Amino acid sequence: ITSASVGAVGVSESDPNVVYIGTGECEIRGNIMPGDGIYKSTDGGKTWTHEGFTDVDAICKIRVDPTNAQTVYAAVFGKYSVPSPERGVFKSTDGGQTWRKILFRNDSTGAIDVEIDPSNPQVIYASLWQAYRKEYTMSSGGAGSGLFKSTDGGETWIELTRRPGLPQ
């Protein structure tokens, strides 16, 4: 592992030897340490292989489908200080070998959380955060921020952000 910052850990419930880590810090304060993507272990953390997102500063959350260790979701923040296309929620169905972007707002809005309903892995919640951190300034909570839900494993999403019952 070439990054000293680990901000996300995902352990497979169906095979606890399968562990994913996402590098980089998602709390964009004054002194943050970027990462270099996602790593995977199939032997309970003894050895690791790099599984993508080399140019991403932060992976905020990793969740593994509780019934299938090959299906993995990653909340990817992207770059801290500049717009970047590698932002949003990504899904892998081959254990991290390939990733597909399944939720994306714009190149200034990253994903910071993704959760799987343990009783129905097809139900997924995700949150996006439009924010950036530059050397002497930051912005947090822009118009791209929001809460989303999928009922088909991330193929389609509905936005919950402005629905009745949630605070303004």
Side-chain angles (χ1 to χ4, degrees), residues 22-156:
T23 60
E25 297 178 65
C26 290
E27 295 78 22
I28 55 172
R29 57 190 191 283
N31 55 344
I32 48 179
M33 182 175 291
D36 67 345
I38 293 178
Y39 291 83
K40 177 184 178 182
S41 174
T42 57
D43 56 14
K46 292 179 184 135
T47 61
W48 296 91
T49 58
H50 194 266
E51 297 294 340
F53 301 101
T54 303
D55 294 326
V56 167
D57 287 344
I59 307 295
C60 295
K61 191 75 72 156
I62 297 175
R63 291 292 178 242
V64 184
D65 183 309
T67 62
N68 180 358
Q70 295 296 303
T71 301
V72 187
Y73 300 89
V76 178
F77 184 81
K79 293 284 191 187
Y80 293 134
S81 62
V82 296
S84 60
E86 282 191 314
R87 290 183 184 259
V89 177
F90 289 76
K91 180 179 182 178
S92 175
T93 56
D94 57 10
Q97 293 178 22
T98 60
W99 295 90
R100 181 172 56 97
K101 190 183 307 182
I102 59 172
L103 178 61
F104 178 77
R105 174 85 85 184
N106 58 49
D107 64 2
S108 298
T109 303
I112 59 163
D113 201 356
V114 61
E115 298 293 336
I116 302 172
D117 182 333
S119 62
N120 181 356
Q122 292 297 302
V123 176
I124 303 162
Y125 294 89
S127 57
L128 301 182
W129 184 30
Q130 185 173 350
Y132 67 82
R133 175 74 176 144
K134 294 186 180 184
E135 193 170 313
Y136 292 104
T137 187
M138 70 173 286
S139 173
S140 175
S145 303
L147 178 64
F148 296 82
K149 179 182 181 180
S150 174
T151 58
D152 57 8
E155 297 304 312
T156 61

